[in-house]
């Protein structure tokens, strides 16, 4: 898949997460099997703001044409998604979240797989 397409799909993901985390933070906690709390909602909304900024950043990165910079962005995408996958599975294995975390892990794995070929390109 083309770099610009993967970046655009990531931008859509980040926009969706921003809207969801800002508008309905409790929804995410309940899907992951977490007890609703003020602290969780505060942190979810703060994460929502971060996703707004990431969506804007990725909008700008979509126009990058230099192959080395594209690979660097893709490597960052693989690390980010891989880290989120690992954290989700670790938290699930430890019993701190429920199996609903897999609804986050699955798209993260798909995005990691989309970024990997770009990150591994030669030249």
């Amino acid at each position: 898949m083309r770099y610009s397409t993967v970046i655009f799909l990531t931008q859509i993901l980040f926009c969706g997460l921003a809207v969801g985390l800002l508008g309905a933070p409790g929804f995410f906690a309940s899907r992951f099997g977490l007890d609703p709390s003020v602290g969780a909602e505060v942190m979810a909304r703060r994460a929502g703001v971060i996703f707004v900024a990431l969506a804007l950043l990725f909008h700008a990165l979509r126009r990058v044409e230099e192959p080395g910079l594209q690979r660097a962005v893709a490597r960052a995408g693989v690390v980010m998604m891989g880290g989120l996958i690992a954290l989700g599975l670790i938290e699930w294995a430890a019993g701190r979240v429920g199996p609903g975390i897999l609804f986050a892990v699955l798209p993260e794995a798909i995005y990691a797989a989309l970024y990997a070929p770009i990150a591994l390109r030669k030249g």
Side-chain angles (χ1 to χ4, degrees), residues 33-97:
L34 298 171
D35 293 328
S37 71
V38 171
E41 287 192 12
V42 167
M43 294 310 294
R45 282 191 294 271
R46 291 180 64 81
V49 172
I50 292 170
F51 280 116
V52 169
L54 284 171
L56 292 170
L57 178 62
F58 274 63
H59 179 72
L61 291 172
R62 193 170 58 168
R63 291 171 178 71
V64 166
E65 293 188 19
E66 200 276 309
L69 187 52
Q70 286 183 353
R71 285 191 305 274
V73 170
R75 282 192 302 271
V78 169
V79 168
M80 176 174 44
M81 296 302 170
L84 289 169
I85 292 165
L87 285 173
L89 294 176
I90 288 167
E91 297 293 353
W92 185 32
R96 290 187 285 264
V97 297

Side-chain angles (χ1 to χ4, degrees), residues 107-122:
E108 292 159 359
I110 292 168
Y111 276 90
L114 291 173
Y115 276 114
I118 300 165
L120 298 171
R121 280 187 196 152
K122 299 288 183 197

